[in-house]
Amino acid sequence: MKIADDWSDYKILATSDGMKLEDWNGVILLRPDPQVIWTGKNLYAEKNINAVYHRSEKGGGAWERRKDFPAEWTVSYRDLKFKIKPMGFKHTGLFPEQAVNWNEMTRLISSARRGGREIKVLNLFAYTGAASVACAKAGAAVTHVDAAKGMVERAGENAALSGVTSGIRYIIDDCMKFVAREIRRGNKYDAIIMDPPSYGRGPGGEMWKIERDLYGFVCSCARLLTENPLFFLINSYTTGLQPAVLKNILTLALKGYKGKFDAYEVGIATAEGIPLPCGASGLFTGEGYGK
Protein backbone atom coordinates (compact mmCIF):
# COMPACT_ATOMS: atom_id res chain seq x y z
CA MET A 1 0.00 0.00 0.00
CA LYS A 2 1.16 3.52 -0.80
CA ILE A 3 0.18 5.78 2.09
CA ALA A 4 -0.36 9.54 1.97
CA ASP A 5 1.25 10.54 5.24
CA ASP A 6 2.68 14.01 4.62
CA TRP A 7 -0.42 16.22 4.73
CA SER A 8 -0.44 19.27 7.00
CA ASP A 9 -3.98 20.56 6.19
CA TYR A 10 -5.76 17.20 6.34
CA LYS A 11 -5.89 14.54 9.07
CA ILE A 12 -8.01 11.52 9.89
CA LEU A 13 -8.49 11.94 13.61
CA ALA A 14 -10.37 8.71 14.38
CA THR A 15 -12.24 5.82 12.77
CA SER A 16 -15.04 3.69 14.17
CA ASP A 17 -18.26 1.91 13.26
CA GLY A 18 -18.30 2.77 9.57
CA MET A 19 -17.28 6.42 10.02
CA LYS A 20 -14.15 8.56 9.82
CA LEU A 21 -13.56 11.81 11.68
CA GLU A 22 -11.54 14.24 9.56
CA ASP A 23 -9.85 17.60 10.04
CA TRP A 24 -9.89 19.59 6.77
CA ASN A 25 -7.76 22.61 7.66
CA GLY A 26 -9.67 23.23 10.86
CA VAL A 27 -13.12 22.11 9.66
CA ILE A 28 -14.11 18.83 11.30
CA LEU A 29 -16.25 16.43 9.25
CA LEU A 30 -17.70 13.04 10.15
CA ARG A 31 -18.33 10.91 7.05
CA PRO A 32 -19.14 7.27 6.29
CA ASP A 33 -16.35 5.01 5.07
CA PRO A 34 -17.11 1.45 3.94
CA GLN A 35 -13.63 0.22 4.91
CA VAL A 36 -14.13 1.05 8.61
CA ILE A 37 -15.75 -2.18 9.81
CA TRP A 38 -14.28 -2.01 13.33
CA THR A 39 -15.82 -0.37 16.38
CA GLY A 40 -14.44 1.83 19.13
CA LYS A 41 -15.45 5.27 20.39
CA ASN A 42 -18.74 6.97 19.59
CA LEU A 43 -17.58 9.53 17.01
CA TYR A 44 -20.99 11.21 16.87
CA ALA A 45 -20.42 12.42 20.43
CA GLU A 46 -17.32 14.46 19.49
CA LYS A 47 -17.95 18.10 20.42
CA ASN A 48 -16.00 19.91 17.70
CA ILE A 49 -17.72 18.47 14.64
CA ASN A 50 -18.77 21.04 12.05
CA ALA A 51 -20.89 18.67 9.94
CA VAL A 52 -21.98 15.02 9.76
CA TYR A 53 -23.00 13.19 6.61
CA HIS A 54 -25.99 10.85 7.09
CA ARG A 55 -26.88 8.22 4.53
CA SER A 56 -30.51 7.80 3.49
CA GLU A 57 -32.23 4.43 3.21
CA LYS A 58 -33.61 5.66 -0.12
CA GLY A 59 -30.11 6.29 -1.47
CA GLY A 60 -27.75 9.23 -1.21
CA GLY A 61 -27.94 11.26 1.94
CA ALA A 62 -27.47 14.74 3.37
CA TRP A 63 -25.19 16.83 5.53
CA GLU A 64 -26.23 17.71 9.07
CA ARG A 65 -24.70 21.12 9.63
CA ARG A 66 -23.49 21.79 13.14
CA LYS A 67 -21.46 24.77 14.36
CA ASP A 68 -19.71 27.22 12.03
CA PHE A 69 -19.89 25.04 8.91
CA PRO A 70 -18.55 27.06 5.94
CA ALA A 71 -20.02 26.58 2.47
CA GLU A 72 -16.49 26.22 1.10
CA TRP A 73 -12.87 26.68 2.13
CA THR A 74 -9.36 25.74 0.98
CA VAL A 75 -6.69 23.23 1.93
CA SER A 76 -3.05 23.16 0.87
CA TYR A 77 -0.80 20.26 -0.08
CA ARG A 78 2.81 21.25 -0.71
CA ASP A 79 2.58 23.98 -3.38
CA LEU A 80 -1.01 23.09 -4.36
CA LYS A 81 -4.27 24.57 -3.11
CA PHE A 82 -7.74 23.08 -3.47
CA LYS A 83 -11.27 24.25 -2.81
CA ILE A 84 -13.26 22.07 -0.42
CA LYS A 85 -17.02 22.21 -0.88
CA PRO A 86 -19.12 19.39 0.59
CA MET A 87 -21.52 17.95 -1.97
CA GLY A 88 -24.04 15.17 -2.22
CA PHE A 89 -23.05 11.56 -1.62
CA LYS A 90 -20.59 12.61 1.10
CA HIS A 91 -18.00 14.07 -1.33
CA THR A 92 -15.90 17.14 -0.61
CA GLY A 93 -14.34 17.58 -4.05
CA LEU A 94 -10.96 16.10 -3.13
CA PHE A 95 -9.49 12.66 -2.42
CA PRO A 96 -6.49 13.31 -0.12
CA GLU A 97 -5.08 9.79 -0.50
CA GLN A 98 -4.35 10.58 -4.16
CA ALA A 99 -1.43 12.70 -2.99
CA VAL A 100 0.73 9.60 -3.43
CA ASN A 101 -0.05 9.67 -7.15
CA TRP A 102 0.31 13.45 -7.45
CA ASN A 103 3.81 13.04 -6.01
CA GLU A 104 4.76 10.31 -8.48
CA MET A 105 3.36 12.12 -11.51
CA THR A 106 5.12 15.32 -10.48
CA ARG A 107 8.39 13.41 -10.12
CA LEU A 108 8.09 11.76 -13.53
CA ILE A 109 7.10 14.95 -15.35
CA SER A 110 9.80 17.02 -13.66
CA SER A 111 12.44 14.41 -14.53
CA ALA A 112 11.36 14.28 -18.17
CA ARG A 113 11.36 18.05 -18.46
CA ARG A 114 14.84 18.28 -16.97
CA GLY A 115 15.87 16.01 -19.83
CA GLY A 116 14.45 18.52 -22.31
CA ARG A 117 11.16 16.78 -23.07
CA GLU A 118 7.80 18.55 -23.32
CA ILE A 119 5.02 16.45 -21.78
CA LYS A 120 1.37 16.27 -22.87
CA VAL A 121 -1.03 14.71 -20.35
CA LEU A 122 -4.60 13.54 -20.90
CA ASN A 123 -6.71 13.39 -17.73
CA LEU A 124 -10.00 11.50 -18.19
CA PHE A 125 -12.94 11.43 -15.76
CA ALA A 126 -10.90 14.27 -14.32
CA TYR A 127 -13.38 15.45 -11.63
CA THR A 128 -12.24 18.65 -9.85
CA GLY A 129 -8.77 18.50 -11.34
CA ALA A 130 -6.34 17.77 -8.52
CA ALA A 131 -4.22 15.57 -10.82
CA SER A 132 -4.51 18.09 -13.65
CA VAL A 133 -3.27 20.88 -11.39
CA ALA A 134 -0.40 18.76 -10.04
CA CYS A 135 0.74 17.84 -13.56
CA ALA A 136 0.42 21.40 -14.88
CA LYS A 137 2.30 22.74 -11.85
CA ALA A 138 5.14 20.35 -12.77
CA GLY A 139 5.22 21.84 -16.27
CA ALA A 140 3.05 19.51 -18.35
CA ALA A 141 0.45 20.60 -20.89
CA VAL A 142 -2.78 19.00 -19.64
CA THR A 143 -6.06 18.20 -21.38
CA HIS A 144 -8.71 17.85 -18.68
CA VAL A 145 -11.89 15.98 -19.67
CA ASP A 146 -15.04 15.42 -17.62
CA ALA A 147 -18.72 15.19 -18.54
CA ALA A 148 -19.88 17.35 -15.60
CA LYS A 149 -19.70 21.09 -16.26
CA GLY A 150 -19.68 21.94 -12.56
CA MET A 151 -16.69 19.70 -11.89
CA VAL A 152 -14.73 21.21 -14.78
CA GLU A 153 -15.46 24.68 -13.42
CA ARG A 154 -14.17 23.56 -10.02
CA ALA A 155 -11.01 22.30 -11.71
CA GLY A 156 -10.43 25.78 -13.10
CA GLU A 157 -10.89 27.27 -9.65
CA ASN A 158 -8.39 24.81 -8.17
CA ALA A 159 -5.87 25.70 -10.88
CA ALA A 160 -6.25 29.40 -10.10
CA LEU A 161 -5.82 28.76 -6.37
CA SER A 162 -2.55 26.94 -7.11
CA GLY A 163 -1.26 29.71 -9.35
CA VAL A 164 -1.72 27.70 -12.57
CA THR A 165 -2.89 30.27 -15.09
CA SER A 166 -2.06 28.33 -18.26
CA GLY A 167 -1.23 24.82 -19.38
CA ILE A 168 -4.64 23.20 -18.83
CA ARG A 169 -7.22 22.78 -21.61
CA TYR A 170 -10.68 22.09 -20.18
CA ILE A 171 -13.11 19.86 -22.10
CA ILE A 172 -16.71 19.13 -21.05
CA ASP A 173 -17.49 15.89 -22.86
CA ASP A 174 -18.13 12.19 -22.58
CA CYS A 175 -14.68 10.66 -22.19
CA MET A 176 -15.26 7.76 -24.57
CA LYS A 177 -16.50 10.05 -27.34
CA PHE A 178 -13.61 12.46 -26.79
CA VAL A 179 -11.03 9.66 -27.03
CA ALA A 180 -12.62 8.35 -30.24
CA ARG A 181 -12.35 11.82 -31.79
CA GLU A 182 -8.74 12.24 -30.66
CA ILE A 183 -7.86 8.92 -32.33
CA ARG A 184 -9.42 10.12 -35.58
CA ARG A 185 -7.52 13.41 -35.31
CA GLY A 186 -4.24 11.59 -34.79
CA ASN A 187 -3.46 13.40 -31.53
CA LYS A 188 -0.93 11.85 -29.16
CA TYR A 189 -0.17 12.14 -25.44
CA ASP A 190 2.88 11.28 -23.36
CA ALA A 191 0.82 10.36 -20.31
CA ILE A 192 -2.76 9.35 -19.56
CA ILE A 193 -4.61 9.46 -16.25
CA MET A 194 -8.08 8.08 -15.68
CA ASP A 195 -10.31 7.82 -12.63
CA PRO A 196 -13.33 5.96 -14.04
CA PRO A 197 -16.51 5.62 -11.99
CA SER A 198 -18.11 2.27 -11.25
CA TYR A 199 -21.19 3.47 -13.10
CA GLY A 200 -21.79 6.67 -14.98
CA ARG A 201 -23.91 8.51 -17.49
CA GLY A 202 -22.58 10.95 -20.07
CA PRO A 203 -24.24 14.24 -21.08
CA GLY A 204 -26.04 12.48 -23.95
CA GLY A 205 -27.26 9.58 -21.82
CA GLU A 206 -24.24 7.35 -22.54
CA MET A 207 -23.92 4.55 -20.00
CA TRP A 208 -20.62 3.46 -18.43
CA LYS A 209 -20.07 0.28 -16.42
CA ILE A 210 -16.50 -0.33 -15.32
CA GLU A 211 -16.55 -4.14 -15.47
CA ARG A 212 -17.89 -4.06 -19.01
CA ASP A 213 -16.18 -1.00 -20.46
CA LEU A 214 -12.82 -0.39 -18.78
CA TYR A 215 -10.58 -2.80 -20.70
CA GLY A 216 -11.82 -1.80 -24.13
CA PHE A 217 -11.54 1.86 -23.20
CA VAL A 218 -7.94 1.47 -22.00
CA CYS A 219 -7.13 -0.28 -25.29
CA SER A 220 -8.56 2.71 -27.15
CA CYS A 221 -6.60 5.14 -24.99
CA ALA A 222 -3.40 3.21 -25.72
CA ARG A 223 -3.75 4.34 -29.34
CA LEU A 224 -3.26 7.93 -28.14
CA LEU A 225 0.13 7.28 -26.56
CA THR A 226 3.37 8.53 -28.05
CA GLU A 227 6.05 6.02 -29.05
CA ASN A 228 7.86 6.45 -25.72
CA PRO A 229 5.14 7.25 -23.17
CA LEU A 230 5.91 8.60 -19.73
CA PHE A 231 3.12 6.93 -17.73
CA PHE A 232 -0.44 5.59 -17.76
CA LEU A 233 -2.32 5.71 -14.44
CA ILE A 234 -5.68 4.13 -13.63
CA ASN A 235 -7.39 4.85 -10.31
CA SER A 236 -10.40 2.96 -9.05
CA TYR A 237 -12.70 3.14 -6.03
CA THR A 238 -14.90 0.30 -7.24
CA THR A 239 -15.54 -2.15 -4.42
CA GLY A 240 -13.98 -5.55 -5.08
CA LEU A 241 -11.76 -4.41 -7.95
CA GLN A 242 -8.28 -5.49 -6.91
CA PRO A 243 -5.13 -3.51 -7.81
CA ALA A 244 -3.79 -6.50 -9.76
CA VAL A 245 -6.80 -6.26 -12.09
CA LEU A 246 -5.73 -2.75 -13.09
CA LYS A 247 -2.17 -3.95 -13.63
CA ASN A 248 -3.43 -6.82 -15.79
CA ILE A 249 -5.51 -4.45 -17.91
CA LEU A 250 -2.53 -2.16 -18.48
CA THR A 251 -0.21 -5.09 -19.20
CA LEU A 252 -2.55 -6.46 -21.88
CA ALA A 253 -3.55 -3.10 -23.39
CA LEU A 254 0.00 -1.71 -23.49
CA LYS A 255 1.82 -4.90 -24.49
CA GLY A 256 3.63 -3.09 -27.29
CA TYR A 257 5.32 -0.68 -24.89
CA LYS A 258 8.41 -1.22 -22.77
CA GLY A 259 8.35 -0.20 -19.14
CA LYS A 260 7.28 -1.16 -15.66
CA PHE A 261 3.78 -2.25 -14.67
CA ASP A 262 2.79 -1.75 -11.04
CA ALA A 263 -0.34 -2.05 -8.88
CA TYR A 264 -1.03 -0.96 -5.33
CA GLU A 265 -3.64 0.07 -2.83
CA VAL A 266 -3.75 3.73 -1.92
CA GLY A 267 -4.39 4.74 1.65
CA ILE A 268 -4.04 7.56 4.09
CA ALA A 269 -2.41 7.76 7.50
CA THR A 270 -4.60 8.19 10.59
CA ALA A 271 -3.95 9.64 14.02
CA GLU A 272 -4.62 6.14 15.38
CA GLY A 273 -1.43 4.85 13.78
CA ILE A 274 -3.18 2.67 11.20
CA PRO A 275 -3.50 3.31 7.44
CA LEU A 276 -7.01 3.56 6.03
CA PRO A 277 -7.34 1.78 2.65
CA CYS A 278 -9.07 4.03 0.13
CA GLY A 279 -8.76 2.63 -3.38
CA ALA A 280 -6.56 0.98 -5.98
CA SER A 281 -4.17 2.18 -8.67
CA GLY A 282 -2.47 0.60 -11.65
CA LEU A 283 0.56 2.41 -13.06
CA PHE A 284 2.61 1.90 -16.19
CA THR A 285 5.89 3.81 -16.26
CA GLY A 286 7.71 4.03 -19.58
CA GLU A 287 11.18 2.54 -19.94
CA GLY A 288 13.83 4.88 -18.61
CA TYR A 289 11.47 6.97 -16.50
CA GLY A 290 10.78 4.83 -13.44
CA LYS A 291 14.06 5.41 -11.61
Side-chain angles (χ1 to χ4, degrees):
M1 181 187 293
K2 292 189 178 182
I3 302 170
D5 57 3
D6 58 347
W7 275 90
S8 58
D9 278 5
Y10 174 82
K11 298 180 180 66
I12 296 180
L13 303 174
T15 57
S16 180
D17 198 22
M19 304 292 287
K20 59 184 176 185
L21 186 68
E22 306 164 291
D23 182 341
W24 294 81
N25 195 18
V27 180
I28 310 301
L29 303 182
L30 182 60
R31 295 193 293 162
D33 192 297
Q35 301 296 329
V36 182
I37 62 172
W38 50 89
T39 59
K41 58 196 305 186
N42 178 14
L43 298 182
Y44 290 94
E46 295 292 318
K47 296 180 179 180
N48 296 322
I49 297 174
N50 295 95
V52 179
Y53 186 87
H54 298 284
R55 291 194 184 278
S56 169
E57 293 181 358
K58 299 179 181 179
W63 289 95
E64 173 200 344
R65 296 172 181 265
R66 296 190 179 180
K67 63 174 189 175
D68 303 324
F69 185 43
E72 58 186 56
W73 66 101
T74 62
V75 300
S76 297
Y77 178 78
R78 296 185 176 180
D79 59 347
L80 306 175
K81 289 184 180 295
F82 304 109
K83 176 186 285 189
I84 303 303
K85 184 177 182 180
M87 302 177 288
F89 197 64
K90 76 176 182 177
H91 290 170
T92 63
L94 189 69
F95 294 92
E97 63 276 4
Q98 284 298 321
V100 296
N101 286 324
W102 307 336
N103 294 348
E104 182 64 7
M105 290 184 291
T106 295
R107 184 185 71 82
L108 290 168
I109 292 167
S110 297
S111 175
R113 284 182 53 76
R114 284 194 300 271
R117 183 175 176 184
E118 297 298 318
I119 299 298
K120 290 177 59 180
V121 175
L122 175 60
N123 189 8
L124 300 165
F125 309 99
Y127 195 47
T128 59
S132 295
V133 175
C135 291
K137 193 80 171 180
V142 181
T143 298
H144 173 107
V145 186
D146 198 281
K149 180 180 179 182
M151 296 301 99
V152 175
E153 291 173 346
R154 286 275 297 277
E157 293 171 353
N158 283 331
L161 285 170
S162 294
V164 177
T165 58
S166 63
I168 303 178
R169 180 170 66 120
Y170 301 98
I171 306 292
I172 302 169
D173 201 354
D174 174 77
C175 289
M176 297 179 78
K177 289 185 175 181
F178 177 80
V179 166
R181 286 199 301 273
E182 289 291 88
I183 292 171
R184 291 196 295 269
R185 293 167 181 149
N187 288 335
K188 297 291 183 179
Y189 295 88
D190 303 288
I192 296 176
I193 308 161
M194 65 170 67
D195 197 344
S198 300
Y199 301 94
R201 186 182 296 273
E206 304 88 352
M207 291 298 298
W208 165 273
K209 186 176 181 182
I210 195 168
E211 295 90 347
R212 180 191 66 201
D213 297 322
L214 180 58
Y215 175 67
F217 185 55
V218 173
C219 290
S220 295
C221 290
R223 297 173 63 185
L224 296 177
L225 290 172
T226 53
E227 291 184 1
N228 185 22
L230 185 62
F231 65 82
F232 195 131
L233 173 68
I234 307 175
N235 294 308
S236 173
Y237 290 88
T238 300
T239 302
L241 195 64
Q242 299 297 318
V245 173
L246 303 179
K247 179 181 178 181
N248 290 345
I249 288 173
L250 286 170
T251 301
L252 293 170
L254 275 61
K255 57 186 177 182
Y257 293 96
K258 294 181 180 180
K260 177 183 177 183
F261 295 88
D262 197 7
Y264 45 89
E265 287 185 275
V266 292
I268 196 152
T270 73
E272 300 163 313
I274 57 173
L276 182 63
C278 298
S281 293
L283 177 64
F284 165 79
T285 305
E287 188 175 54
Y289 293 106
K291 299 178 181 178

